[in-house]
Amino acid sequence: VIYQHVQFHICLDVVTAKPVPWRWKDEDASIARSTFPPCATGRGWVYSYNETVSIRSEFNLYCNPLMLRLITAAFFIGRTCGFLVFWNISVLFGRRWPIIIAVWCNSIVTWLLSCSASYQVYVVLRALDGFTMEGYVIGSYVLLLECINENSRHVFASQFRSFQGLGLILLAGIAYFSSSWKVTCLICGT
């Protein structure tokens, strides 16, 4: 379950890379449709929400890819800070409670992600999501590695991340059948 959630965040750009759902306001204006690009503001282009809703269309990020990259950067900055904080907490207080706290906090933050109404709130929650995710990823890895025999640690270390492929397959199935990115967040946060 943890790796399905991890894969959701790593593959966020893959999930949001659906075709642009543009349509012209006035369906009879075929000349204007070919004259003005979709990113030209005030030219009559709107999103067609007949299909699925993605993060790009929800926050209007098709015309500004830099803002989409900021979401990914915030997530990985949060992961870096989460590693530094949770590693020190795990060393001081043991591994078990920081992992449990990080899993609960990450589930709450992921549920809040699905409720975010603005781009700014979404970026802050993505940073918090990365922060809490790193708390249980590094903690569970080290905790399990400490329980394994020294002769078998290299096998365990290589097999620990092999479930990543299964998580990618499950995420693709979840994203394919969900109607919105918010539904995918709710499913992965559960």
Side-chain angles (χ1 to χ4, degrees), residues 161-172:
R161 296 294 292 185
S162 65
F163 292 99
Q164 187 172 9
L166 179 62
L168 286 171
I169 292 169
L170 291 173
L171 173 68

Side-chain angles (χ1 to χ4, degrees), residues 96-130:
R96 184 173 176 230
W97 284 108
I99 292 171
I100 293 170
I101 291 169
V103 168
W104 279 102
C105 289
N106 191 267
S107 292
I108 292 168
V109 169
T110 305
W111 277 72
L112 289 174
L113 269 172
S114 67
C115 300
S116 60
S118 70
Y119 173 77
Q120 292 81 8
V121 171
Y122 185 78
V123 170
V124 170
L125 287 173
R126 283 287 287 165
L128 286 174
D129 190 31

Side-chain angles (χ1 to χ4, degrees), residues 3-19:
Y3 284 100
Q4 295 168 8
H5 182 64
V6 171
Q7 294 310 316
F8 167 72
H9 296 293
I10 291 174
C11 298
L12 183 65
D13 290 335
V14 175
V15 172
T16 60
K18 296 180 180 180

Side-chain angles (χ1 to χ4, degrees), residues 6-176:
V6 171
Q7 294 310 316
F8 167 72
H9 296 293
I10 291 174
C11 298
L12 183 65
D13 290 335
V14 175
V15 172
T16 60
K18 296 180 180 180
V20 181
W22 297 108
R23 71 172 173 79
W24 187 253
K25 282 183 186 177
D26 183 13
E27 294 298 331
D28 296 330
S30 59
I31 297 173
R33 187 180 314 155
S34 62
T35 308
F36 301 111
C39 290
T41 57
R43 299 292 186 189
W45 288 96
V46 294
Y47 289 108
S48 173
Y49 288 113
N50 298 335
E51 299 175 9
T52 60
V53 178
S54 67
I55 294 171
R56 288 181 177 186
S57 62
E58 179 91 16
F59 299 124
N60 198 19
L61 301 177
Y62 279 105
C63 298
N64 196 348
L66 191 61
M67 291 176 72
L68 189 64
R69 290 186 192 126
L70 181 63
I71 295 171
T72 307
F75 175 71
F76 284 108
I77 288 170
R79 282 191 71 174
T80 304
C81 295
F83 170 76
L84 295 172
V85 170
F86 277 104
W87 180 260
N88 289 322
I89 291 173
S90 295
V91 168
L92 292 175
F93 301 110
R95 311 263 187 263
R96 184 173 176 230
W97 284 108
I99 292 171
I100 293 170
I101 291 169
V103 168
W104 279 102
C105 289
N106 191 267
S107 292
I108 292 168
V109 169
T110 305
W111 277 72
L112 289 174
L113 269 172
S114 67
C115 300
S116 60
S118 70
Y119 173 77
Q120 292 81 8
V121 171
Y122 185 78
V123 170
V124 170
L125 287 173
R126 283 287 287 165
L128 286 174
D129 190 31
F131 181 84
T132 57
M133 188 194 81
E134 195 61 32
Y136 66 80
V137 169
I138 194 67
S140 62
Y141 179 75
V142 172
L143 180 66
L144 292 173
L145 197 60
E146 289 172 347
C147 297
I148 301 294
N149 182 339
E150 281 188 34
N151 297 333
S152 304
R153 284 186 182 174
H154 63 283
V155 175
F156 171 77
S158 63
Q159 295 299 317
F160 185 76
R161 296 294 292 185
S162 65
F163 292 99
Q164 187 172 9
L166 179 62
L168 286 171
I169 292 169
L170 291 173
L171 173 68
I174 290 169
Y176 181 77

